[in-house]
Amino acid sequence: MSNTVNLKGRHFLTLKDFTPEEIDHLVKLAARLKEKKKNGELVNHYAGKNVALIFEKTSTRTRCSFEIAAHDMGMGTTYLDPKASQIGKKESIADTARVLGRMFDGIEYRGFGQEIVEELAKHAGIPVWNGLTNEYHPTQMLATLLTIREHFGSEKGLKLVYMGDARYNMGNSLMILCAKMGMDFTACTAKEYFPEQELVDECREYAKASGTTITLTEAVTEGTKDADIIYTDVWVSMGEPEEVWEERIRLLSPYQVNKKVMDNAKDTAIFTHCLPAFHDLKTGVGREVYEKFGLKELEVTDEVFESKQSVVFDEAENRMHTIKAVMVATLGEFE
Ligand code: CP
Ligand code: NVA
């Protein structure tokens, strides 16, 4: 355990705010907490603490991870959805932050613009954790990194290829993660979905320090060649209008993760996805898209999703252990 890293009182809003050493610390802490949980060893020194969980967008993994992690540690949770609270409509974010800051010990926020979670953090006076915004999904990144470490031992020098809308939360966050932690990052997608140049430039600075590269390419064969990790996400994210489906399908279909893509990657390559994923017709949205556009599988084929190379459920489980680590570290470590 690193003795120099102390994250007590810090917010967790984007990985841009964290050094590679701090990110490493969080993931190592998560691995220890995971082991303790597997051994039935309780880390429940947080009785009397309470956390508020604000979800302006829906969730399965993130909400359950925060709730289970908090309950495992003896904390109380209050779930707030926008319909059942005054947030945004009758009360500003700044006022909400000041009220919750008087009652709780930490606040998770999932919603729209990054500026909202930043505003919450500015006024809360307690740690605020980003559970996904349009721009970033930092807790997912810790789960990705823990999963990569469990699989490969170390992330250093690996090539991660992201296929899909690389301008949004997952593409942005993976580029930051790779650049900071020493993985080569490739966004393999239509040029319309390349990440913003400003963020690319910022990440190239991190990449310089970690000795890695950032590549943006439209060429699937070249882009996915020798990849260690192939990552994708839904083509249309929460909060985006239905009208964008047509364009996304047209421009992103060539970037579907299928067997050909996996065969072009290294033999040892893994596939992962933040989930939820559209890989069959067993979802309402999947069926609607099929009826309208005739596609049975979207960003990933069922064959790849269900293959041995797929580590999606390991990553989903790791959401809980890594979110627990974020709470432990920012509320004050006491394992
Ligand atoms: N990956 C993820 O954030 O999943 P949920 O939307 O279910 O929380
Ligand atoms: N890009 C997706 C990620 C879901 C975890 C979304 O924002 O809906």
Side-chain angles (χ1 to χ4, degrees), residues 55 58-63 110 131-132 137 140 238 274-276 319:
F55 281 84
T58 52
S59 168
T60 297
R61 276 146 290 271
T62 310
R63 177 181 174 181
R110 162 171 288 199
L132 177 146
H137 197 3
Q140 184 79 46
M238 289 183 277
C274 54
L275 304 182
R319 297 297 310 287

Side-chain angles (χ1 to χ4, degrees), residues 81-95:
D81 77 38
K83 283 188 219 81
S85 71
Q86 317 289 20
I87 298 167
K89 290 175 296 294
K90 286 175 71 184
E91 195 159 33
S92 69
I93 294 296
D95 291 356

Side-chain angles (χ1 to χ4, degrees), residues 212-265:
T212 59
T213 57
I214 291 178
T215 307
L216 311 180
T217 180
E218 290 194 284
V220 175
T221 309
E222 191 190 311
T224 58
K225 193 163 171 42
D226 293 331
D228 295 287
I229 302 135
I230 302 280
Y231 209 117
T232 190
D233 181 19
V234 291
W235 289 341
V236 177
S237 285
M238 289 183 277
E240 293 198 287
E242 282 206 10
E243 301 83 81
V244 302
W245 270 109
E246 193 174 343
E247 184 190 280
R248 295 290 161 83
I249 287 174
R250 184 163 44 81
L251 295 176
L252 292 177
S253 287
Y255 302 96
Q256 179 192 60
V257 179
N258 50 37
K259 189 163 184 305
K260 206 168 150 205
V261 164
M262 294 309 296
D263 285 348
N264 191 47

Side-chain angles (χ1 to χ4, degrees), residues 141-282:
M141 293 306 102
L142 300 180
T144 301
L145 186 55
L146 178 57
T147 309
I148 289 172
R149 284 186 178 180
E150 285 173 346
H151 194 88
F152 292 106
S154 160
E155 70 277 13
K156 302 293 175 213
L158 298 180
K159 174 178 174 177
L160 185 148
V161 180
Y162 178 77
M163 304 178 85
D165 183 357
R167 311 158 308 172
Y168 221 71
N169 43 28
M170 285 303 301
N172 290 344
S173 300
L174 286 165
M175 181 164 67
I176 299 166
L177 175 77
C178 289
K180 290 216 172 202
M181 301 311 289
M183 287 180 274
D184 289 321
F185 175 80
T186 300
C188 182
T189 186
K191 63 180 181 318
E192 288 81 352
Y193 300 117
F194 281 177
E196 297 276 342
Q197 195 55 46
E198 201 183 325
L199 185 60
V200 174
D201 292 342
E202 210 174 319
C203 287
R204 286 216 162 109
E205 287 303 312
Y206 306 144
K208 225 183 268 170
S210 72
T212 59
T213 57
I214 291 178
T215 307
L216 311 180
T217 180
E218 290 194 284
V220 175
T221 309
E222 191 190 311
T224 58
K225 193 163 171 42
D226 293 331
D228 295 287
I229 302 135
I230 302 280
Y231 209 117
T232 190
D233 181 19
V234 291
W235 289 341
V236 177
S237 285
M238 289 183 277
E240 293 198 287
E242 282 206 10
E243 301 83 81
V244 302
W245 270 109
E246 193 174 343
E247 184 190 280
R248 295 290 161 83
I249 287 174
R250 184 163 44 81
L251 295 176
L252 292 177
S253 287
Y255 302 96
Q256 179 192 60
V257 179
N258 50 37
K259 189 163 184 305
K260 206 168 150 205
V261 164
M262 294 309 296
D263 285 348
N264 191 47
K266 281 194 187 146
D267 290 344
T268 50
I270 57 170
F271 164 74
T272 190
H273 187 308
C274 54
L275 304 182
F278 297 121
H279 57 96
D280 58 23
L281 295 179
K282 293 175 188 162

